[in-house]
Amino acid sequence: MKKTIIIILVALFSSLFTQAFKKDFIVMKYILCQNEEEHEEQNIRTRLPQYTVPCSIDSTMGLNLMGEPSINILSYEIWEINGERISDFDDEDDFIATLLKFSGDYEVRFITAEFTYIGIIKL
């Protein structure tokens, strides 16, 4: 009887400690564009909001930008809400592992060759 109770307790505690982190939030998809006539001499790039994209970050399944075709993210960035960049990563696993160490509200940015996805995540 004691052995059965111990096995049940060990199974219960091990499942609690191995729960995966999953966070759903929304990111804005921005397209980078340049108005050649007005900004040619100044080389200014502007961004125009396109639409919102549901996003999911899962410690076991990784990053999922729902409804987007397969994308090649060049850089994963974590920013403070006040606009200071904390860190950037080339690797998705490193980005997620570092993000899980934070608590509070942060801005995340996913940089591709054509678009930048920007969203606020509450941890």
Side-chain angles (χ1 to χ4, degrees):
M1 181 69 172
K2 286 183 181 182
K3 196 174 195 180
T4 306
I5 293 173
I6 291 172
I7 291 173
I8 292 172
L9 288 175
V10 168
L12 177 65
F13 285 123
S14 65
S15 67
L16 291 174
F17 291 121
T18 60
Q19 262 188 338
F21 167 86
K22 184 172 192 294
K23 187 71 177 171
D24 295 322
F25 61 104
I26 300 290
V27 295
M28 286 293 296
K29 181 179 181 180
Y30 288 94
I31 183 170
L32 296 175
C33 63
Q34 184 172 353
N35 185 334
E36 293 178 17
E37 295 173 3
E38 291 181 24
H39 303 295
E40 187 174 294
E41 294 175 9
Q42 299 169 345
N43 195 21
I44 296 174
R45 297 174 78 179
T46 58
R47 63 182 191 186
L48 303 172
Q50 270 195 325
Y51 56 86
T52 58
V53 179
C55 181
S56 175
I57 295 179
D58 188 305
S59 60
T60 56
M61 300 300 291
L63 175 71
N64 181 17
L65 293 170
M66 297 166 218
E68 293 292 289
S70 65
I71 57 173
N72 182 22
I73 297 177
L74 304 174
S75 177
Y76 305 82
E77 299 179 351
I78 302 171
W79 290 68
E80 290 186 11
I81 297 297
N82 66 9
E84 292 185 42
R85 185 171 62 185
I86 298 171
S87 56
D88 61 87
F89 305 89
D90 297 330
D91 181 69
E92 182 178 305
D93 292 335
D94 292 341
F95 162 73
I96 292 172
T98 302
L99 188 65
L100 294 179
K101 296 176 184 176
F102 293 108
S103 64
D105 297 348
Y106 294 91
E107 183 178 289
V108 291
R109 298 182 185 186
F110 311 123
I111 312 298
T112 70
E114 298 88 15
F115 305 107
T116 298
Y117 299 85
I118 300 174
I120 304 295
I121 186 168
K122 298 178 186 294
L123 301 169

